[in-house]
Amino acid sequence: MKITVDKGKCQNHGLCAISAPDHFELDADGKLTYQKTFGEEDLDAIEDAIDSCPLQAIVMDRDAA
């Protein structure tokens, strides 16, 4: 599975990093970094991160490898 973050929408609020800290984080400059792929075992955390994004900038593709 794969995550995409629309950098045009993302305003680096960091709520995704709170919801799924193993996959999202704010770097030293306050910019979002994230792991693009994840496994089934992380699905709940990723869905929480997607739901927490106030700008709906995170998209998940379940079919991507």
Side-chain angles (χ1 to χ4, degrees):
M1 289 182 259
K2 185 177 177 180
I3 307 166
T4 304
V5 175
D6 182 336
K7 295 290 187 160
K9 288 183 180 180
C10 180
Q11 293 184 0
N12 302 305
H13 291 281
L15 297 177
C16 57
I18 294 169
S19 297
D22 292 339
H23 301 280
F24 299 88
E25 69 178 319
L26 296 178
D27 67 16
D29 294 325
K31 300 291 183 187
L32 181 68
T33 61
Y34 64 99
Q35 293 180 351
K36 293 182 181 184
T37 60
F38 64 96
E40 187 74 32
E41 67 278 2
D42 298 315
L43 183 59
D44 287 341
I46 298 299
E47 287 177 336
D48 287 346
I50 292 169
D51 291 342
S52 74
C53 181
L55 299 167
Q56 300 178 343
I58 307 167
V59 176
M60 175 175 47
D61 182 355
R62 292 177 183 262
D63 297 325

